[in-house]
């Protein structure tokens, strides 16, 4: 089931949310949430996080045992695991003590956080309600492909993902959270590409709630936690800006970091074997979801536990237990983890360097811009350095900022090594500020507000505080809304292409293959029509002889066809999808409707406004 405007469809939202409650929330609640000694917000965040991670791990074990990955196999198994572990006092104690030492907040703070989360969801729906597929998000197609593969095959076999008759991927990929998304898709009866999209939008709205627990673990006060959440809501660069390139794994991984960090801190604080084993399993599961965030979680967890009262016994036995537990979970597919990084992240310095001025502008842009918000970064870090409770956050923010500047300005081998877990990509280094910077950005406002009761200039302090809040948050929200509405790349699949793709379903058999490109919206035509395509994602595919699938596809315009192109017929290719609206990177492709229409080797069987589906006459010379 899908719709021309999925984000604006209440029915699709209801089906996906209801399925997510069954697949993610309830098992997570049985596993951990019900044991957390905190309010409803804490139990909700722990339940969602453990639901994602638990589903990932249990599904992988079932797949290795030859059991199909289906909602009625994975979810009951995870629920039974939660019920069984819940009978053990040691397991209950792990979660009961997870929130020890946190800054206490009033119920009004939690209500304010929920309000921010709801506002975030409203903003995302308003800016996406009339969009057909993710705007300019090539990577979104990759995630949709993985979810569809799992939903269609009930398997997590990586060989089926990486190797097909149409070439192999140049890198590995951990399916991780896509497993849970596929189970939600099957349960809801909603198309995988729609389910993936809606779940990620919901996760983006969930992020302020999750990060609020991390900030409370650092001892951040309630008002600063709320202001930090507001900064996330109005930040055009992150996390909302990540939607622009389809970084779904990044968003889901960021939402799980708070739980993993809290568990790492619990190991350092308690050092009990059960806590260590649980923390190791959480970290191992996080590797499958988004491996980069494991490094973040360990660092933040150690920072949370810094200077806290800890057990007197050595931490190394507990660390060994955690490492062993993580190894068991990570060991489910270690070769893919290694291939994922070694193939796509060469160990080298950053080749594209920037000037110091440009680097500083991008660093200050971590606040989401525009210019009025840049001052908040400097004021926030300055106030944080002067505040004993928040000094470590300010110092870490400065260290991360300095590392980023060295990376993009100097391109030295040290920062190249430090950035390797983050794919050696500068924007991902800036994303780290999302865990640290938001509470600091709200510090100038809370300091001004506190001056109201200490100085004779109450009205002046109030006016300045309100003016700063309005300036920073209104300008940020304005830019966020504008950026979310603006495609990051040309829109190649809109209403006309959607209607054309829905008609393809009746013409193309389920076993027939459509030769398509990812750069002209063909990837989304494959997802909407629910038919097989040679490129249901945006990753390049390569054949053993070194030729690319994209080259063999373009060779269809050659006369006569090269032998390597005719091999596509043997792989089951029957149709060709061509859209005149194409991404600039393939502007030179010879596949144009004007060219194909004049070629007798192709028979148009379904013509649309901008796209046409052709039958390939393989018997032609």
């Amino acid at each position: 089931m899908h719709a021309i405007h999925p984000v604006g469809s209440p029915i699709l939202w209801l089906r996906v949310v209801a399925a997510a409650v069954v697949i993610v929330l309830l098992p997570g609640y049985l596993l951990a949430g019900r044991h957390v000694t905190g309010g409803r917000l804490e139990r909700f965040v722990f339940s969602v996080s453990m639901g994602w991670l638990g589903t990932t791990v249990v599904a992988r074990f079932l797949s290795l045992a030859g059991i199909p990955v289906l909602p009625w196999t994975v979810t009951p198994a995870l629920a039974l695991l939660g019920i069984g572990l819940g009978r053990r006092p040691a397991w209950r104690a792990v979660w009961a003590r997870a929130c020890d030492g946190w800054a206490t907040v009033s119920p009004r703070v939690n209500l304010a956080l929920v309000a921010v989360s709801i506002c975030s969801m409203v903003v995302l729906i308003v800016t996406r309600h009339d969009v057909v597929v993710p705007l300019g998000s090539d990577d979104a197609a990759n995630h949709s492909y993985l979810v569809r593969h799992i939903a269609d095959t009930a398997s997590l076999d990586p060989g089926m993902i990486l190797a097909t008759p149409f070439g192999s991927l140049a890198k590995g990929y951990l399916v991780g959270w896509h497993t849970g998304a596929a189970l939600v898709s099957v349960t809801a009866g909603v198309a995988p590409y729609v389910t993936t999209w809606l779940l990620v939008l919901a996760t983006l709205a969930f992020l302020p709630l999750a990060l609020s627990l991390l900030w409370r673990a650092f001892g951040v006060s309630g008002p600063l936690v709320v202001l930090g959440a507001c900064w996330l809501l109005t930040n055009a660069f992150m996390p909302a800006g990540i939607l622009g390139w389809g970084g779904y794994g990044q968003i889901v991984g960021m939402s799980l970091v708070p739980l993993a960090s809290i568990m790492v801190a619990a190991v350092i604080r308690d050092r009990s074997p059960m806590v260590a084993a649980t923390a190791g399993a959480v970290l191992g599961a996080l590797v499958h979801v988004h491996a980069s965030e494991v490094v973040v979680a360990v660092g933040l967890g150690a920072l949370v536990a810094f200077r806290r009262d800890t057990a007197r016994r050595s931490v190394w036995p507990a660390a060994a237990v955690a490492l062993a537990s993580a190894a068991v979970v990570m060991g489910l597919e270690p070769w893919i983890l290694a291939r994922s990084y070694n193939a796509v992240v060469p160990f080298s310095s950053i080749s594209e360097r920037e000037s110091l001025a440009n680097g500083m502008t991008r660093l200050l842009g971590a606040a989401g811009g525009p210019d009025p918000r840049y001052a908040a970064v400097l004021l926030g870090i300055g106030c944080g350095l002067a505040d004993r409770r928040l000094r470590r956050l300010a110092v870490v923010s400065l260290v991360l900022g300095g590392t980023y500047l060295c990376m993009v300005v100097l391109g030295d081998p040290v920062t190249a090594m430090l950035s390797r877990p983050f794919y050696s990509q500068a924007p991902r280094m800036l994303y780290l500020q999302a865990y640290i910077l938001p509470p600091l950005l709200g510090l100038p406002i809370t300091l001004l507000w506190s001056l109201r009761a200490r100085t004779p200039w109450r009205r002046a302090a109030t006016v300045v505080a309100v003016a700063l809040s309005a300036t920073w948050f209104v300008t940020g929200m304005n830019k966020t809304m504008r950026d979310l509405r603006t495609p990051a790349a040309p829109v190649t699949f809109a209403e006309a292409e959607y209607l054309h793709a829905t008609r393809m379903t009746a013409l193309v058999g389920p076993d027939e293959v459509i030769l398509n490109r990812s750069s002209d919206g063909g990837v989304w035509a494959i997802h909407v029509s629910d038919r097989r395509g040679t490129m249901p994602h945006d990753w390049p595919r390569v054949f053993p002889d070194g030729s690319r699938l994209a080259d063999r596809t373009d060779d269809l315009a050659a006369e006569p066809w090269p032998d390597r192109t005719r091999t596509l017929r043997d792989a089951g290719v029957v149709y060709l999808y061509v859209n005149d609206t194409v991404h600039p990177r393939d502007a030179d492709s010879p596949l144009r409707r004007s060219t194909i229409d004049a070629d007798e080797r192709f028979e148009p069987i379904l013509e649309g406004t901008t796209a046409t589906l052709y039958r390939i006459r393989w018997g032609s010379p």
Side-chain angles (χ1 to χ4, degrees):
M1 180 179 182
H2 49 75
I4 191 168
H5 299 132
V7 179
S9 171
I11 295 177
L12 292 179
W13 272 110
L14 287 173
R15 293 175 73 106
V16 170
V17 170
V21 168
V22 174
I23 299 297
V24 178
L25 181 62
L26 291 181
Y29 178 78
L30 292 174
L31 197 61
R34 60 184 175 137
H35 307 303
V36 175
T37 55
R40 294 177 181 176
L41 178 61
E42 290 86 349
R43 288 193 291 270
F44 175 72
V45 172
F46 273 72
S47 297
V48 172
S49 301
M50 283 301 293
W52 277 119
L53 295 173
T55 298
T56 298
V57 174
V58 170
R60 172 52 63 183
F61 274 112
L62 293 180
S63 181
L64 289 176
I67 300 174
V69 178
L70 296 166
W72 45 90
T73 58
V74 177
T75 301
L78 183 58
L80 290 174
L81 178 64
I83 294 172
L85 289 174
R87 300 171 66 90
R88 295 178 59 86
W91 177 260
R92 296 195 299 270
V94 168
W95 305 105
R97 296 197 301 265
C99 303
D100 287 353
W102 286 15
T104 57
V105 296
S106 67
R108 289 181 298 178
V109 169
N110 286 340
L111 286 175
L113 290 170
V114 172
V116 170
S117 181
I118 293 174
C119 287
S120 178
M121 192 74 260
V122 170
V123 168
L124 292 171
I125 292 177
V126 167
T127 56
R128 290 288 194 273
H129 76 282
D130 57 351
V131 178
V132 178
V133 294
L135 291 175
S137 301
D138 295 335
D139 206 34
N142 301 335
H143 295 292
S144 299
Y145 162 71
L146 291 175
V147 173
R148 178 181 171 181
H149 158 77
I150 298 170
D152 288 347
T153 65
S155 171
L156 302 183
D157 181 7
M160 296 178 65
I161 301 175
L162 305 178
T164 71
F166 313 109
S168 299
L169 298 182
K171 64 175 181 178
Y173 208 96
L174 294 162
V175 294
W177 66 275
H178 304 89
T179 305
L183 298 180
V184 171
S185 176
V186 173
T187 304
V190 175
Y193 84 94
V194 174
T195 302
T196 307
W197 194 8
L198 299 189
L199 284 176
V200 169
L201 293 180
T203 302
L204 199 59
F206 167 78
L207 192 57
L209 302 180
L211 288 177
S212 72
L213 299 193
L214 176 64
W215 298 332
R216 285 176 54 195
F218 274 115
V220 177
S221 63
L224 276 181
V225 169
V226 174
L227 288 172
C230 290
W231 273 100
L232 286 178
L233 170 63
T234 59
N235 193 320
F237 174 68
M238 62 179 180
I242 300 175
L243 286 176
W245 56 274
Y248 291 179
Q250 179 79 50
I251 292 171
V252 176
M254 290 178 73
S255 73
L256 300 176
V257 164
L259 170 67
S261 302
I262 290 166
M263 295 309 300
V264 170
V267 173
I268 298 174
R269 182 179 66 244
D270 293 343
R271 304 181 184 179
S272 69
M274 180 60 79
V275 172
T278 304
V282 167
L283 292 175
L286 186 56
V287 167
H288 289 267
V289 174
H290 203 253
S292 301
E293 308 313 310
V294 174
V295 179
V296 179
V298 172
L300 290 175
L303 194 62
V304 167
F306 181 66
R307 290 186 176 177
R308 283 274 183 89
D309 293 333
T310 57
R312 294 184 178 181
R313 58 185 181 276
S314 173
V315 73
W316 294 113
V321 173
L323 186 61
S325 176
V328 170
V329 177
M330 286 192 302
L332 297 176
E333 46 184 3
W335 66 277
I336 287 194
L337 176 62
R339 186 176 176 182
S340 296
Y341 276 95
N342 291 337
V344 300
V345 189
F347 183 71
S348 61
S349 300
I350 305 301
S351 57
E352 297 181 4
R353 301 182 186 181
E354 298 183 2
S355 66
L356 180 60
N358 287 340
M360 280 297 299
T361 300
R362 293 184 184 277
L363 178 58
L364 294 176
D371 292 348
R373 290 170 67 100
Y374 294 168
V377 178
L378 302 176
L379 288 173
I381 293 178
C383 293
L385 291 173
D387 189 309
R388 182 177 57 85
R389 296 171 302 170
L390 300 178
R391 188 171 298 146
R392 54 182 165 168
L393 291 181
V395 170
V396 171
S397 181
L398 285 174
V399 170
L400 291 176
T403 303
Y404 169 80
L405 288 176
C406 289
M407 175 183 179
V408 298
V409 176
L410 301 179
D412 62 288
V414 175
T415 54
M417 179 186 67
L418 294 175
S419 65
R420 185 171 169 81
F422 309 102
Y423 303 95
S424 297
Q425 295 175 0
R428 292 185 190 266
M429 295 295 290
L430 281 181
Y431 294 156
L432 299 178
Q433 294 284 356
Y435 302 107
I436 300 294
L437 193 57
L440 296 174
L441 298 177
L443 193 54
I445 296 174
T446 58
L447 290 177
L448 280 171
W449 198 256
S450 66
L451 288 176
R452 294 169 57 252
R454 303 180 189 177
T455 68
W457 302 290
R458 290 186 177 182
R459 291 185 178 179
T462 303
V463 169
V464 173
V466 172
L468 276 180
S469 302
T471 301
W472 288 343
F473 293 143
V474 171
T475 56
M477 178 58 73
N478 181 54
K479 188 175 190 307
T480 299
M481 296 280 286
R482 186 173 65 251
D483 287 1
L484 285 174
R485 293 288 298 175
T486 304
V491 177
T492 59
F493 196 86
E495 284 82 357
E497 288 78 14
Y498 173 88
L499 296 174
H500 179 259
T502 57
R503 295 195 294 270
M504 287 166 49
T505 306
L507 297 175
V508 180
D511 295 326
E512 294 178 316
V513 181
I514 302 171
L515 187 63
N516 70 291
R517 298 175 295 173
S518 64
S519 58
D520 66 351
V523 61
W524 296 115
I526 297 302
H527 285 286
V528 171
S529 65
D530 193 26
R531 288 300 179 252
R532 295 179 61 196
T534 56
M535 284 293 290
H537 50 70
D538 191 59
W539 291 312
R541 285 195 172 273
V542 181
F543 289 92
D545 63 358
S547 64
R548 300 184 308 153
L549 175 60
D551 297 331
R552 297 193 182 190
T553 301
D554 284 345
D555 283 346
L556 275 177
E559 191 172 353
W561 286 321
D563 291 339
R564 68 178 189 179
T565 297
R566 288 186 177 274
T567 60
L568 297 174
R569 175 193 57 188
D570 301 331
V573 171
V574 179
Y575 302 97
L576 170 66
Y577 178 91
V578 177
N579 187 350
D580 284 342
T581 307
V582 66
H583 193 282
R585 71 170 183 261
D586 275 354
D588 296 333
S589 173
L591 293 181
R592 289 287 186 271
R593 289 202 301 174
S594 58
T595 303
I596 302 300
D597 286 341
D599 195 327
E600 294 182 352
R601 296 174 299 175
F602 302 93
E603 175 190 358
I605 63 171
L606 183 62
E607 295 187 44
T609 304
T610 62
T612 299
L613 181 69
Y614 301 89
R615 182 186 298 276
I616 305 175
R617 294 169 173 165
W618 287 112
S620 303

